[in-house]
Amino acid sequence: MHELSLAESMIEQLAEALKSESSPVTRIEKIDLEIGSMSGVEKDAFEFVFPFAAEGTVAEGAQLTFREVELQVKCMDCGSVTSPEYPFVSCVSCGSSKTDILQGKDFKILQMEVS
Ligand SMILES: [Zn+2]
């Protein structure tokens, strides 16, 4: 389960970023995350391990919200923008495998609320 190490490194990054704030942050209230369907991160697994990773850190008790982004590719052959079912990334329209991934690859923090 790589979600745990992912959660740990995310919290480390957040804690590091918060050190540069002018007023000291004692607690992260809420974290908004984006999960692409192709990011390899399982939302449920991440939610499950997060409290373990957050224990004793500024992120302890933080509420998580997720924005799930579905995979979207642009076909180099026919130009269609379609949403194939991951793990397939070929064009739904013509079946070409020459596609550019437009979205759905990322796992990132959109914003957070602190107190
Ligand atoms: Zn196509």
Side-chain angles (χ1 to χ4, degrees), residues 75 77-80 91 93-96:
C75 180
D77 282 331
C78 75
S80 310
C91 175
S93 221
C94 74
S96 168

Side-chain angles (χ1 to χ4, degrees), residues 16-97:
E16 201 55 43
L18 290 174
K19 275 184 197 164
S20 57
E21 295 283 315
S22 48
S23 53
V25 171
T26 50
R27 218 168 95 79
I28 299 174
E29 299 281 346
K30 196 173 156 218
I31 306 171
D32 291 336
L33 297 160
E34 176 180 311
I35 295 190
S37 58
M38 210 186 155
S39 65
V41 181
E42 288 285 340
K43 174 180 160 290
D44 291 346
F46 191 84
E47 247 176 342
F48 177 76
V49 299
F50 184 81
F52 298 104
E55 207 182 330
T57 75
V58 286
E60 187 168 352
Q63 186 198 338
L64 300 178
T65 58
F66 296 91
R67 195 168 81 94
E68 291 177 84
V69 175
E70 70 169 4
L71 175 63
Q72 209 171 66
V73 301
K74 184 172 168 58
C75 180
M76 316 266 250
D77 282 331
C78 75
S80 310
V81 174
T82 53
S83 296
E85 201 61 45
Y86 177 75
F88 301 103
V89 294
S90 44
C91 175
V92 175
S93 221
C94 74
S96 168
S97 56

